[in-house]
Structure formats: structure tokens, C-alpha cells
Amino acid sequence: MMDNFTPDRFADEFDAAGVPQELRGWLSRYGVGALVVKMGIKFLELGPERSVATMPVEGNTQVAGILHGGAHVVLAETLGSFSAALHAGEGNHVVGIEVGATHHRGVSSGLVTGTCTAIHLGGTLVTHEIVMTDELGRRLSTARITNMIRENRHR
């Protein structure tokens, strides 16, 4: 059973995902999420304007043996949502209102790198573009996500 009171309850999850020490306090209430762990996503850089992460192709393929299109979107939405939440700041949360992707090329092995770049950092809406590349730097897909900033409700 997980609770919101155990100190460092996500330490193993944070280590596995490569979450920088300075962001662990911010993430300590919820962790990075089971899907991030399951997909093997590893954060290299996290910030409101730019975030970077990798994800293995192995274990995330579709029946034709290439990276599943949904896996591209999972990586993109993860990066865009984390970046938007960092922009929103304490006392706020974000909700995704639109995500879309264009797939340019398939990949059947190795690591995919997602690079998330802010397009618009507003007070209500936040939009990021995420480009997925293979180990040779070839563009695999391009995604865009828009998140809405909401104030946390106090109960």
C-alpha cells in the first residue's frame, strides 16, 4: 500500500527514471507514474522551457517490430506535461487538453530521445513541441501538446 506520508517512498522510482535530486521534492507526492517506469523512460533534463528523456525501443514495439506509435505519444506527453507543470509552479497543476503526433520514420532497436521545447508558456495555456529522434539523430516523430494550468483546490 502506498501512502502520502512515507518519506522517500519513490526513491527507487526516481533513481530508475533519472530524476534530478533538485526535482524530487516537487515530485514526492505522486512520483513519476507507473507508465513512465513501465516504458523505461529516463529523464536527462527537466525544465519548463526544455526537457529531454530517452526510452528504449525494446519492450515498446508493435507487431511489426517497430516502436509503437502510442509509445512515441507517451514519451511526448510525459515530457510536455512535466515541463508544463514546472512552468505552472507550486499551487497549480496542469491538465492536457490536446496532444497530436506525426510519425516520420520507424525504428526497431536502440534508444529514442525525446526533446521537448516550449512554444508558448502562458498563464492559462502551455504548449510544447516534442521531437523524437533515433540514435543517429534522425527525426522519428513530431508531437505537440497543450496543457491548461489550473489552480489547486484547497480542501
Side-chain angles (χ1 to χ4, degrees):
M1 178 177 130
M2 297 299 270
D3 61 56
N4 288 334
F5 307 106
T6 305
D8 300 324
R9 66 191 168 117
F10 294 113
D12 291 341
E13 185 177 294
F14 291 156
D15 289 343
V19 174
Q21 197 67 38
E22 64 271 14
L23 294 178
R24 293 182 183 208
W26 174 70
L27 291 168
S28 64
R29 186 166 182 196
Y30 300 107
V32 294
L35 188 56
V36 168
V37 174
K38 187 179 291 189
M39 301 293 286
I41 294 171
K42 305 255 189 251
F43 297 101
L44 305 178
E45 185 179 332
L46 276 172
E49 301 224 7
R50 177 182 154 91
S51 292
V52 181
T54 62
M55 180 179 66
V57 173
E58 185 178 351
N60 295 317
T61 58
Q62 43 108 309
V63 296
I66 61 174
L67 184 65
H68 194 288
H72 287 261
V73 177
V74 167
L75 180 56
E77 188 160 358
T78 297
L79 285 167
S81 294
F82 274 59
S83 291
L86 285 166
H87 169 70
E90 197 169 324
N92 296 306
H93 64 281
V94 298
V95 292
I97 60 170
E98 180 185 29
V99 64
T102 300
H103 304 296
H104 309 292
R105 133 189 332 261
V107 63
S108 59
S109 64
L111 280 179
V112 171
T113 299
T115 302
C116 173
T117 307
I119 296 172
H120 174 74
L121 296 174
T124 304
L125 294 178
V126 181
T127 303
H128 288 88
E129 178 183 71
I130 305 91
V131 175
M132 273 61 67
T133 57
D134 65 13
E135 292 175 311
L136 298 175
R138 297 178 296 191
R139 187 180 292 232
L140 303 171
S141 64
T142 305
R144 189 181 75 185
I145 181 171
T146 299
N147 283 280
M148 182 185 301
I149 298 173
R150 305 290 308 266
E151 187 176 337
N152 292 344
R153 291 184 180 161
H154 301 286
R155 295 180 186 186

